[in-house]
Amino acid sequence: MRIVIASGKGGAGKTTVTACLAGLWERDLLLVDADVEAPNLHLLLHPNLAEPEPVYLEVPELVEEKCTGCGACRPMCSYGAIAMMGAKPMYFQDMCHGCGGCTLVCPQDAIREKDYRIGVVKTARAGSITLKSGCLDVGVSLASTLVHALKDRLEDGVATLLDAPPGTAVPRLIAGLSRS
């Protein structure tokens, strides 16, 4: 069973409701703090924290000696993360969503992928409660990618309460997280 506590705005009390429900729970419980830009569920639970697990996104890196400057990679990017600067592409890793399309279309095999850290997933314990929370690195704008990393760490068959991120731009994320 998965229960998602969500709202269209911040400050509505999602975290407080989630913590109160967790306090009343009488069995093992997985809590997920999916507000990766300002995770704060741990403040109400005082759990024992484990070592954070870094989350990476694969972003392009140019192999300059192979690049002919054909520009095939630039139109492939729907996110504007590639610009042609003269005869060579320039990659903006903060805008990249890690689809790998640029790597696939490069006829010279001049693009390899490298890991770009976007944040961490923290796991903690407080009695019979396991808390998983995402924390986006400062300056990174890929909150949804980190929420998906949290989703990948959900456990089937475990009662789960999820403190959703605020806002109306995340309905697909919430719908995906609530499916069991």
Side-chain angles (χ1 to χ4, degrees), residues 32-57:
V32 180
D33 190 345
D35 185 358
V36 300
E37 294 178 290
N40 57 8
L41 193 52
H42 66 281
L43 297 173
L44 300 172
L45 297 175
H46 308 291
N48 296 318
L49 294 172
E51 193 66 29
E53 176 189 351
V55 176
Y56 297 93
L57 179 69

Side-chain angles (χ1 to χ4, degrees), residues 87-143:
K88 300 286 182 181
M90 183 174 186
Y91 302 101
F92 300 96
Q93 61 189 15
D94 292 331
M95 296 171 67
C96 178
H97 283 63
C99 73
C102 58
T103 306
L104 295 173
V105 299
C106 180
Q108 305 304 321
D109 197 27
I111 304 169
R112 63 179 166 230
E113 293 178 335
K114 67 176 184 174
D115 285 340
Y116 171 58
R117 184 180 141 147
I118 61 168
V120 296
V121 170
K122 298 176 182 178
T123 302
R125 292 280 304 168
S128 63
I129 298 171
T130 299
L131 171 64
K132 291 189 182 285
S133 59
C135 187
L136 200 63
D137 283 349
V138 174
V140 175
S141 61
L142 298 168

Side-chain angles (χ1 to χ4, degrees), residues 67-75 82-92:
C67 182
T68 61
C70 71
C73 55
R74 191 190 58 74
I82 303 172
M84 291 302 291
M85 302 302 263
K88 300 286 182 181
M90 183 174 186
Y91 302 101
F92 300 96

Side-chain angles (χ1 to χ4, degrees), residues 143-157:
S144 62
T145 305
L146 190 52
V147 172
H148 284 290
L150 273 171
K151 177 184 174 189
D152 293 343
R153 288 159 176 82
L154 294 181
E155 301 167 28
D156 289 332

Side-chain angles (χ1 to χ4, degrees), residues 1-7 13-15 17-18 21 25 29-35 147 151 154 159-167 170-180:
M1 169 184 58
R2 292 185 184 158
I3 300 171
V4 178
I5 292 80
S7 172
K14 296 179 298 296
T15 301
V17 168
T18 304
L21 286 172
W25 211 266
L29 178 67
L30 174 62
L31 282 181
V32 180
D33 190 345
D35 185 358
V147 172
K151 177 184 174 189
L154 294 181
T160 304
L161 292 179
L162 189 128
D163 182 13
V170 292
R172 282 183 32 205
L173 287 175
I174 294 169
L177 289 167
S178 63
R179 290 193 188 109
S180 54

